[in-house]
Amino acid sequence: MQHFLDFKQLSDHQIQSLLGRVLAFSRRVDAAAHRQLLKGKIITNLFYEPSTRTRTSFEVAAHRMGADVVNISAGESSVEKGECLRDTLETLHAIGVDAVVVRHPQTGVLNDLLAEKAIDIALINAGDGCGQHPSQALLDTAILIAARGSLDGLKLVVAGDILHSRVAAANIQLLSRLGIDDIRLVGPTQLLPDVCPENVSLMTENFDAALAGANAVMMLRIQHERMDGLELPDADDYYQRWGLDESRLKLAQPDCVVLHPGPVNRGVEISNAVADGPQSLIRQQVVMGVPARMAIFHLLLADTNN
Ligand code: NCD
């Protein structure tokens, strides 16, 4: 396996073993052995969009596996001088980089690049426009398994800016592959897709109704940077209708867990009390980010090394 772009390219068996590996890495036994797994490898983070947790956790994951890491922000590289992505990747390959973690504002940018011509360096999608964010979906699914014991009976509400969210798209893709068929999408009509994605049981503006019987709810940030002129409700109206506070959370099952990929806009999509409350898994999601990215590196790079 050479690249990690989305879950379509993985077999069911590969998905299961990837998830198993995330959970195994999360136990942090054998840390010394992990540090040997990518010894001698060089990984570059190439980010054309801002990031805190994704970029840092890819970096920490690489360090925990003994790799060297080079970080590049597009604003500080030759990209500013007009260099195209392929030339940047070819340059990194020539320097000796083994894998590049790419975040880019253009949807499908890596798929398009590879369809045009192969590239001899492992590529990892860390978020492409409104496309996919597979490492986030991997960690979200791992945290749901860790928190609930399994995915059996999962009734997930995903709420917010579904239309522009690569986190929603990647989670729908992965959870569908894992047999989950009760996924409910909630948000203002203009932020819901025109066509209901496969395996989504409900698309609605009515958050309260969608929460009935739910045992997990994933809140999403409004992707202001991808609005393209779309009119949004004002912040107060948005919070009233699509914000998650304690009284709204009570409409779900009592053991309903709350996820958010971050960055969290407190008071816009979620209240402080819920974000920091006992049902929130937001902190644990961040923790799971590192083993999830270790498992991805392992899938692409470690087998050739050991
Ligand atoms: C998400 C992203 O970049 O898609 N953040 C993340 O990776 N944790 C979600 C967002 O920016 O809203």
Side-chain angles (χ1 to χ4, degrees), residues 157-211:
V157 173
V158 187
D161 180 3
I162 311 288
L163 184 66
H164 302 107
S165 174
R166 53 201 181 199
V167 175
N171 270 290
I172 294 167
Q173 191 183 77
L174 177 56
L175 289 169
S176 304
R177 286 290 297 278
L178 293 165
I180 302 304
D181 58 6
D182 192 345
I183 302 175
R184 311 161 188 183
L185 305 181
V186 176
T189 305
Q190 64 271 39
L191 298 182
L192 292 172
D194 289 339
V195 181
C196 190
E198 240 179 280
N199 284 43
V200 164
S201 44
L202 177 73
M203 277 212 304
T204 179
E205 285 208 309
N206 189 335
F207 199 178
D208 294 355
L211 283 168

Side-chain angles (χ1 to χ4, degrees), residues 155 211 213-217 244 249 252-258 278-280:
K155 297 179 196 321
L211 283 168
N215 48 29
V217 50
L244 187 62
L249 184 55
Q253 286 188 20
D255 62 350
C256 180
V257 291
V258 177
Q279 288 165 263
S280 171

Side-chain angles (χ1 to χ4, degrees), residues 203-244:
M203 277 212 304
T204 179
E205 285 208 309
N206 189 335
F207 199 178
D208 294 355
L211 283 168
N215 48 29
V217 50
M218 179 180 292
M219 299 306 299
L220 299 171
R221 180 180 69 88
I222 301 175
Q223 307 276 297
H224 290 285
E225 65 275 37
R226 305 186 214 284
M227 279 307 146
D228 243 349
L230 263 186
E231 290 284 321
L232 284 181
D234 71 50
D236 285 347
D237 185 31
Y238 186 89
Y239 185 65
Q240 287 307 316
R241 298 182 66 185
W242 296 288
L244 187 62

Side-chain angles (χ1 to χ4, degrees), residues 16-295:
Q16 290 296 349
S17 72
L18 192 58
L19 272 168
R21 203 160 274 141
V22 177
L23 295 166
F25 278 134
S26 76
R27 288 180 208 111
R28 297 200 67 176
V29 285
D30 254 354
H34 296 164
R35 274 194 295 278
Q36 302 303 313
L37 289 169
L38 297 187
K39 241 191 148 65
K41 300 279 184 194
I42 304 173
I43 292 166
T44 294
N45 277 325
L46 178 61
F47 277 57
Y48 293 76
E49 278 188 355
S51 172
T52 302
R53 61 220 94 214
T54 303
R55 177 164 141 167
T56 312
S57 56
F58 268 114
E59 181 168 357
V60 171
H63 284 306
R64 281 202 195 151
M65 299 175 83
D68 291 319
V69 182
V70 181
N71 285 312
I72 301 179
S73 297
E76 296 154 16
S77 70
S78 287
V79 169
E80 276 293 286
K81 302 180 188 170
E83 186 171 69
C84 69
L85 179 58
R86 181 177 295 278
D87 286 345
T88 303
L89 294 170
E90 299 283 10
T91 302
L92 295 173
H93 177 51
I95 290 170
V97 169
D98 296 285
V100 189
V101 180
V102 183
R103 169 166 287 188
H104 201 282
Q106 193 182 315
T107 304
V109 67
L110 297 179
N111 310 64
D112 293 349
L113 193 102
L114 292 167
E116 184 189 279
K117 193 164 145 245
I119 192 148
D120 207 12
I121 191 166
L123 299 177
I124 296 170
N125 181 6
D128 61 309
C130 305
Q132 290 285 316
H133 193 350
S135 66
Q136 180 70 42
L138 185 65
L139 79 88
D140 290 339
T141 298
I143 206 73
L144 283 168
I145 295 171
R148 306 178 73 255
S150 82
L151 295 177
D152 293 351
L154 183 71
K155 297 179 196 321
L156 173 70
V157 173
V158 187
D161 180 3
I162 311 288
L163 184 66
H164 302 107
S165 174
R166 53 201 181 199
V167 175
N171 270 290
I172 294 167
Q173 191 183 77
L174 177 56
L175 289 169
S176 304
R177 286 290 297 278
L178 293 165
I180 302 304
D181 58 6
D182 192 345
I183 302 175
R184 311 161 188 183
L185 305 181
V186 176
T189 305
Q190 64 271 39
L191 298 182
L192 292 172
D194 289 339
V195 181
C196 190
E198 240 179 280
N199 284 43
V200 164
S201 44
L202 177 73
M203 277 212 304
T204 179
E205 285 208 309
N206 189 335
F207 199 178
D208 294 355
L211 283 168
N215 48 29
V217 50
M218 179 180 292
M219 299 306 299
L220 299 171
R221 180 180 69 88
I222 301 175
Q223 307 276 297
H224 290 285
E225 65 275 37
R226 305 186 214 284
M227 279 307 146
D228 243 349
L230 263 186
E231 290 284 321
L232 284 181
D234 71 50
D236 285 347
D237 185 31
Y238 186 89
Y239 185 65
Q240 287 307 316
R241 298 182 66 185
W242 296 288
L244 187 62
D245 61 12
E246 281 175 304
S247 63
R248 184 162 273 149
L249 184 55
K250 288 203 175 84
L251 300 172
Q253 286 188 20
D255 62 350
C256 180
V257 291
V258 177
L259 294 94
H260 192 309
V264 174
N265 286 161
R266 291 164 180 265
V268 179
E269 68 264 7
I270 193 166
S271 69
N272 283 329
V274 173
D276 304 327
Q279 288 165 263
S280 171
L281 295 178
I282 298 173
R283 188 61 66 85
Q284 288 96 313
Q285 282 175 277
V286 177
V287 174
M288 196 60 94
V290 175
R293 274 107 196 183
M294 290 172 77

